[in-house]
Amino acid sequence: MKLDYAAMGKRIKRLRREQRLSQERLAELIDVSTPHMSNIENGKTKFSLQVLIDLANALNTTPDVLLLDQMKSQDKTRCMVIEEIDRELSDCTMAQMTLIEESVRNTKKILKSYEKKMNRKEY
């Protein structure tokens, strides 16, 4: 499988702009030159795994979001949902996070129970 650096560059550029970061500032945050950052965003250069991780950290996202087109459809959907949840949780306190975690765990149990019940009715 060949990585689509142009598509990754577009996502990096979009995220950078959404966060109102200049190309120079992002380059500074990940310790690369501004011309190299420009080449990354334009898909003109390949970059290392370390740069991918540094970009994800600087852009407050995950490497899988930047690699999105390289993933299977089901993985893309999961990744997009996780990214949206992460955005929603970004300003939560630890107490809120603990409560949300417990709520998710309970909701999952309820859904599994419901699915089991529905599967029994099919037979």
Side-chain angles (χ1 to χ4, degrees):
M1 175 179 73
K2 191 174 179 180
L3 294 177
D4 188 345
Y5 286 94
M8 283 190 284
K10 286 179 184 177
R11 279 190 291 285
I12 291 164
K13 187 177 196 172
R14 178 184 51 80
L15 288 167
R16 175 181 61 78
R17 286 181 170 172
E18 285 175 4
Q19 295 179 32
R20 297 187 177 163
L21 286 171
S22 69
Q23 202 173 63
E24 294 79 15
R25 179 65 183 136
L26 181 56
E28 188 179 293
L29 288 170
I30 68 165
D31 199 27
V32 300
S33 69
T34 302
H36 187 57
M37 189 68 246
S38 175
N39 286 333
I40 289 172
E41 286 188 358
N42 291 314
K44 293 181 181 176
T45 189
K46 295 179 180 181
F47 49 91
S48 69
L49 180 58
Q50 185 60 56
V51 169
L52 176 68
I53 292 166
D54 292 344
L55 281 165
N57 286 333
L59 295 168
N60 300 310
T61 191
T62 58
D64 49 330
V65 169
L66 301 178
L67 290 165
L68 195 59
D69 286 345
Q70 314 305 317
M71 301 164 70
K72 295 176 189 168
S73 182
Q74 182 179 3
D75 293 337
K76 285 182 192 180
T77 302
R78 184 174 189 275
C79 182
M80 287 187 296
V81 169
I82 290 170
E83 183 181 8
E84 180 59 30
I85 291 170
D86 187 52
R87 270 195 295 272
E88 290 294 326
L89 298 176
S90 66
D91 62 348
C92 288
T93 65
M94 285 306 292
Q96 291 169 332
M97 292 286 279
T98 302
L99 183 58
I100 291 168
E101 179 185 14
E102 189 176 326
S103 296
V104 167
R105 211 174 267 118
N106 289 332
T107 301
K108 185 177 172 185
K109 283 179 188 175
I110 291 167
L111 286 170
K112 283 185 173 188
S113 174
Y114 176 77
E115 287 172 348
K116 247 184 189 176
K117 205 181 275 188
M118 294 308 291
N119 284 336
R120 278 189 245 137
K121 287 182 181 181
E122 288 178 11
Y123 296 107

